[in-house]
Amino acid sequence: MVQEYQSPVRVYKHPFELIMAAYHRRFPKCPLIPVFVDSEIFSESQSKDGSTLVTERRCVIDIDAPRLLKRIAGVDYLYFIQKNTLNRRDRTLRIEVHNETFSSRVIVRECCNYTVHPENEDWTCFEQTASLDMKSFFGFESTAEKIAMKQYASSIKKVCIFELYLHIHCVYKLDADYIRRYLGDLTPLQESCLIRLRQWLQENHKGKIPKDQHVLRFLRARDFNLDKAREFLCQSLTWRKQHQVDFLLDTWERPQLLQDYYTGGWHHHDRDGRPLYILRLGQMDTKGLVRALGEEVLLRQVLSINEEGLRRCEENTRVFGRPISCWTCLVDLEGLNMRHLWRPGVKALLRIIEVVEANYPETLGRLLILRAPRVFPVLWTLISPLIDENTRKKFLVYAGNDYQGPGGLVDYIDKQILPDFLGGDCMSDIPEGGMVPKSLYRTAEELESEENRLLTDSIYKSASIFKGAPYELLIEITEASSVITWDFDVSKGDVIFNIYHSKRAPQPPKKDTLGAHGITSLGAVNAQVIDRSWLLGKDYSMVEKALTCREGESVQGSHVTRWPGFYILQWRFHSSPACSASSLPRVDDVLASLQVSSHKCKIMYYTEVLASHDFRGSMTSLESSHSGFSQLSAATTSSSQSHASSTISR
C-alpha cells in the first residue's frame, strides 16, 4: 500500500534569497537536525548563462527505529539521493529525494518546492509532498511502514522547527551574507542605515515596500544620511503611487510610432554584468517625436526603460551571483547636429531628466558617449546642471573613432556583443530611426488636452490668423543682447512673419473692440498689440525682414536684441503683395474673414527668451537645422549690431 503525505503551504515573510541562505546552512550537516548526519556532493552542473544550478548529494539519515529491526536490516543509517535544481532567474528551488538503501524493497519519494509568493515577491512559499511504497521488508512490512511514517512525520516537524528557528533567530546574522551577496559590501554604519530605514518603512509606510536594492540607492544618493534619504525615498514612493508607476510595465503599451522611430533598446550586458542600454541619439528625430507623441508619452517611455532596467538588474544579480544595482548606457551621437538642439526638445529633455533624477538615483553605473561631434559641448552645457555630480563622474566621452582604440569600448563591453553599427559582429534590433512624417504630428489642442499628465504644462501654443487680423505676441526685453528664440509650424494657409521693436509699451487691448457694432463676442478675433494710431518708422520699427512661410513649413530661428524695450512677434495672413506690413484690421474685413474659411491660417508656436549672460559662449545652436552657428555665436559678443536667423524646413 502506498502512503502519501502533502504538507500545508508554509509562508516565510522574507525574500527568496535570504531563505536560500538559511537553507544552505544545513549542508553538509547541521547540529539543529540530528537526524541529518552528513551529506556529500557527487555531481554539480550549471547552465551556460549561470541562471540554473543543479546539485546532487548523497545524504546520510539516522532513523529512530528499534534496535532489533536495525540488526535484522543490517544497517545503522539510511542513504538518500537528493537532487536540487536552483533557478536564480525564476527564483525557485526544487528538491527531489529518493532512497538508495533498500531501494528494491521500499520506494521513498519526496519533492519540496521553494517559490516566490504569488502576491508578494518579497515572501517565500514552501511546499512538500512525499510517498512511501513498502513492497517487502523481511516479514516486518506493517511494523516498518508504521515506523517509517512516524519517523517521517517527526522529521518534518524537526525540519519545520529548524526552518523557523533559523528564519526567526538568525535573520540578522544572515543579513550580512545576504547583503554581500545581493547588495554589495557595506560598512557597519551603512548596513545599520539600511536596516533602520527598512524597518521604518515596514512600520510606517502603508503602500508597497520597495526592495532592499532600491532603498539602498536612495541611501547612497544622500551619502547614507538617514533623514535625508527617508525624505527623498518617501517623495518618490508618493510619486510612484500617484502615477501608478509600479504597474507601468504591465499596463503600458508602446505606440507603434515609438517602436518605429525611438532609436534605443536593451542589448545584452557589459563586462561587469550590468544591463546595457544603447541609444542612437544622432539618428533620432527628437522634434518629430515630441510633436507626434507629446512629452507625456516620451516620459512614460523613459520611465518604462528605467523600470525595465531595475528588473534586469535583479535578474543579472541572480544570474551572475553578485550584486548588480545599476546599468550601463551607451549613447551613439553619430548624426547629431543643430536640429537635435532644438530648444523645445531640449527643454522637454531637461524636464524628463528632472523626473528621472528624483526617482531613479544611483541607477546609472556608466555612460559611454561615442562619436561626439563639435556641437556636443553645447548640449552638455544645457543638461549638465540638472545631473547629479556623482552621476556626471560616470560619463566617458569619445570623439570620432577614439572608441575603437585602447581604452575604448572593448574595455567595458565584450567584443562578441558589440553591435554591428559600431563595428562589432552582434546584430541588434534597435530601430534605425529616421524623420517622423509630419502627417503624424498632433495639434496643440491635442497635446494640451492629455489626461493624467506627468508633466504639468505644455510646450506649444496654437493661434489662428485671419485676413486683416494678425496674431501678435508681446515680449519685454530689459537687457540688450538677450536672445529671442522661436519655433513654429504653419498647419493651415500661408503667413508672413515679422519682428518689430518699440521703446514704449503698447496699450492693453480693449476687451470688446467691436461692441459698438452690436457684436458682443468674437473669440476668434485676435487682440492687437500694435496700437491703431502708431506709425511704422516713428512709434515702432521693423527689426527683421519679413519672412513668408507656406502651409506645412516649420520655422526655427532666433534674434539677438540690440536694444531693451518691447518686441512684437507678428504673424499675418498672406494674400497678396499689396498687403502692407503696417496695415491695420478693419471691422468689415474681420467680419468678412469670419465667413470665409479660406481666409484663416493656423500656427503652433513656441518662444523663449534667453538672458545675455546665459547665452554668451554657451547657449548657442538655437536653430534646429541651421549651419550658421559660428555667426550667431560671434554676434553675441558684439553690441554694435543685432543678428537673427531663421530656418525653414519643408
Side-chain angles (χ1 to χ4, degrees):
M1 182 179 177
V2 179
Q3 299 285 343
E4 295 183 346
Y5 173 81
Q6 172 71 56
S7 76
V9 177
R10 292 200 290 269
V11 177
Y12 301 134
K13 295 184 177 181
H14 278 280
F16 175 82
E17 291 76 18
L18 183 57
I19 297 301
M20 288 300 98
Y23 173 77
H24 284 102
R25 282 289 183 97
R26 70 174 67 181
F27 299 109
K29 58 184 177 180
C30 179
L32 293 175
I33 312 179
V35 68
F36 193 80
V37 178
D38 201 0
S39 65
E40 179 184 5
I41 296 176
F42 65 85
S43 175
E44 193 169 49
S45 62
Q46 187 169 255
S47 61
K48 290 183 179 181
D49 61 1
S51 62
T52 304
L53 177 65
V54 179
T55 305
E56 293 186 88
R57 295 183 177 88
R58 178 173 286 105
C59 303
V60 183
I61 306 297
D62 184 11
I63 59 172
D64 184 15
R67 190 176 193 136
L68 176 62
L69 189 59
K70 285 187 176 182
R71 292 186 62 182
I72 293 175
V75 296
D76 289 324
Y77 301 110
L78 298 181
Y79 291 84
F80 285 79
I81 301 300
Q82 182 192 72
K83 179 181 178 181
N84 288 3
T85 304
L86 174 63
N87 190 315
R88 300 188 181 98
R89 188 189 305 275
D90 297 336
R91 303 175 75 193
T92 61
L93 173 66
R94 181 176 178 83
I95 307 169
E96 299 171 282
V97 180
H98 67 272
N99 61 309
E100 189 176 47
T101 304
F102 302 128
S103 58
S104 62
R105 298 174 179 272
V106 182
I107 299 176
V108 179
R109 293 284 187 270
E110 182 184 49
C111 182
C112 304
N113 287 288
Y114 288 89
T115 58
V116 177
H117 194 283
E119 297 179 0
N120 190 327
E121 58 184 10
D122 290 329
W123 292 359
T124 305
C125 297
F126 173 76
E127 192 172 6
Q128 185 178 26
T129 61
S131 66
L132 171 67
D133 186 5
M134 186 73 65
K135 297 185 179 298
S136 65
F137 200 77
F138 311 105
F140 293 93
E141 288 81 9
S142 178
T143 302
E145 185 176 281
K146 292 179 181 179
I147 291 174
M149 292 307 298
K150 180 181 178 181
Q151 178 72 36
Y152 187 74
S154 176
S155 298
I156 290 173
K157 291 181 180 179
K158 290 179 180 179
V159 171
C160 183
I161 292 172
F162 160 73
E163 294 280 5
L164 292 175
Y165 176 84
L166 198 57
H167 174 65
I168 296 173
H169 297 283
C170 298
V171 163
Y172 290 101
K173 183 178 180 181
L174 285 174
D175 261 352
D177 297 333
Y178 165 72
I179 287 173
R180 281 194 297 270
R181 170 66 175 78
Y182 294 98
L183 303 177
D185 292 328
L186 300 176
T187 66
L189 177 61
Q190 293 171 342
E191 182 179 336
S192 173
C193 287
L194 174 60
I195 293 174
R196 288 163 61 194
L197 183 52
R198 185 176 61 186
Q199 289 177 334
W200 183 89
L201 288 170
Q202 292 172 344
E203 295 171 1
N204 298 279
H205 184 63
K206 296 181 179 179
K208 181 180 179 181
I209 304 296
K211 297 181 180 180
D212 290 344
Q213 294 93 328
H214 200 53
V215 175
L216 187 59
R217 292 185 179 100
F218 285 83
L219 283 166
R220 284 175 172 151
R222 291 297 179 264
D223 295 324
F224 287 88
N225 183 307
L226 189 59
D227 292 334
K228 291 182 179 179
R230 181 191 298 123
E231 180 182 2
F232 189 19
L233 177 58
C234 287
Q235 290 174 350
S236 179
L237 292 177
T238 300
W239 173 84
R240 294 182 69 89
K241 182 178 180 180
Q242 178 183 356
H243 299 291
Q244 299 292 296
V245 178
D246 288 331
F247 309 103
L248 185 63
L249 289 179
D250 298 326
T251 59
W252 189 61
E253 295 184 7
R254 290 201 314 158
Q256 186 62 44
L257 192 146
L258 262 185
Q259 299 179 38
D260 295 337
Y261 293 97
Y262 191 88
T263 55
W266 293 99
H267 183 80
H268 301 283
H269 54 79
D270 68 4
R271 289 186 179 273
D272 297 323
R274 295 168 174 166
L276 175 63
Y277 189 84
I278 297 179
L279 179 65
R280 303 183 69 179
L281 184 59
Q283 306 299 316
M284 186 182 297
D285 180 11
T286 52
K287 177 180 178 179
L289 290 175
V290 172
R291 289 295 310 279
L293 296 170
E295 290 180 75
E296 172 80 3
V297 173
L298 289 180
L299 177 56
R300 288 192 181 276
Q301 165 72 358
V302 174
L303 295 183
S304 69
I305 292 171
N306 281 271
E307 290 295 305
E308 176 67 14
L310 297 178
R311 188 192 66 79
R312 287 175 178 262
C313 284
E314 294 176 11
E315 181 178 310
N316 285 17
T317 294
R318 295 191 290 268
V319 170
F320 291 102
R322 59 179 182 273
I324 296 173
S325 61
C326 53
W327 52 83
T328 293
C329 185
L330 187 155
V331 181
D332 182 14
L333 297 183
E334 184 183 44
L336 187 78
N337 54 39
M338 293 301 181
R339 66 182 174 85
H340 290 90
L341 304 183
W342 168 64
R343 286 291 298 175
V346 172
K347 187 174 181 180
L349 173 63
L350 297 181
R351 294 163 67 178
I352 290 174
I353 289 175
E354 286 182 324
V355 175
V356 172
E357 282 286 307
N359 297 284
Y360 300 93
E362 299 296 319
T363 54
L364 181 65
R366 183 180 295 117
L367 180 64
L368 303 171
I369 301 175
L370 309 185
R371 303 193 272 201
R374 293 184 179 181
V375 299
F376 172 72
V378 178
L379 180 61
W380 177 246
T381 301
L382 294 171
I383 67 174
S384 59
L386 290 179
I387 300 176
D388 180 77
E389 182 179 356
N390 291 332
T391 303
R392 292 201 299 267
K393 294 177 181 178
K394 303 170 185 177
F395 285 38
L396 295 173
V397 182
Y398 298 91
N401 295 322
D402 292 348
Y403 69 92
Q404 298 176 346
L409 278 186
V410 291
D411 285 7
Y412 306 102
I413 303 173
D414 196 313
K415 190 174 182 180
Q416 295 179 347
I417 64 172
L418 276 179
D420 51 339
F421 60 86
L422 292 177
D425 298 326
C426 186
M427 300 297 293
S428 71
D429 55 1
I430 299 173
E432 295 184 359
M435 301 299 292
V436 177
K438 289 190 177 181
S439 59
L440 300 178
Y441 284 12
R442 300 167 67 186
T443 65
E445 291 82 359
E446 290 174 330
L447 294 176
E448 291 171 358
S449 64
E450 290 176 343
E451 297 179 357
N452 301 321
R453 291 187 60 84
L454 296 172
L455 299 170
T456 57
D457 55 341
S458 177
I459 286 181
Y460 281 95
K461 296 181 180 179
S462 59
S464 297
I465 300 117
F466 300 95
K467 186 176 181 180
Y471 183 82
E472 296 173 347
L473 183 67
L474 181 66
I475 299 175
E476 183 178 4
I477 298 296
T478 58
E479 182 183 9
S481 297
S482 296
V483 182
I484 302 172
T485 71
W486 59 82
D487 178 277
F488 64 88
D489 288 355
V490 184
S491 56
K492 181 179 180 181
D494 300 339
V495 300
I496 296 177
F497 178 62
N498 275 309
I499 307 176
Y500 300 102
H501 172 262
S502 175
K503 294 182 179 179
R504 58 174 176 156
Q507 294 297 319
K510 296 180 181 180
K511 294 183 179 179
D512 190 9
T513 58
L514 302 181
H517 297 267
I519 301 176
T520 57
S521 177
L522 269 178
V525 177
N526 297 322
Q528 301 296 287
V529 174
I530 299 177
D531 194 277
R532 185 184 297 269
S533 61
W534 282 10
L535 297 176
L536 181 63
K538 180 180 179 182
D539 299 293
Y540 67 108
S541 59
M542 183 185 298
V543 296
E544 289 297 334
K545 183 180 179 181
L547 182 66
T548 301
C549 310
R550 305 295 181 182
E551 181 175 326
E553 291 181 345
S554 296
V555 182
Q556 301 87 36
S558 58
H559 173 80
V560 182
T561 61
R562 184 175 179 181
W563 314 279
F566 298 89
Y567 287 79
I568 302 164
L569 305 187
Q570 182 193 75
W571 290 267
R572 288 191 296 110
F573 184 91
H574 178 58
S575 56
S576 67
C579 195
S580 171
S582 61
S583 63
L584 296 173
R586 295 181 303 161
V587 174
D588 293 340
D589 294 334
V590 174
L591 292 176
S593 69
L594 295 176
Q595 300 173 359
V596 183
S597 60
S598 61
H599 290 175
K600 176 183 177 180
C601 301
K602 293 193 71 173
I603 62 170
M604 194 159 73
Y605 71 91
Y606 164 85
T607 62
E608 184 177 3
V609 177
L610 305 176
S612 60
H613 60 82
D614 290 332
F615 177 79
R616 183 173 290 113
S618 61
M619 304 287 271
T620 54
S621 65
L622 303 170
E623 308 135 84
S624 64
S625 58
H626 184 57
S627 61
F629 165 74
S630 60
Q631 299 174 4
L632 184 58
S633 178
T636 63
T637 62
S638 174
S639 61
S640 61
Q641 61 181 4
S642 66
H643 176 84
S645 54
S646 288
T647 302
I648 301 177
S649 60
R650 294 173 171 83

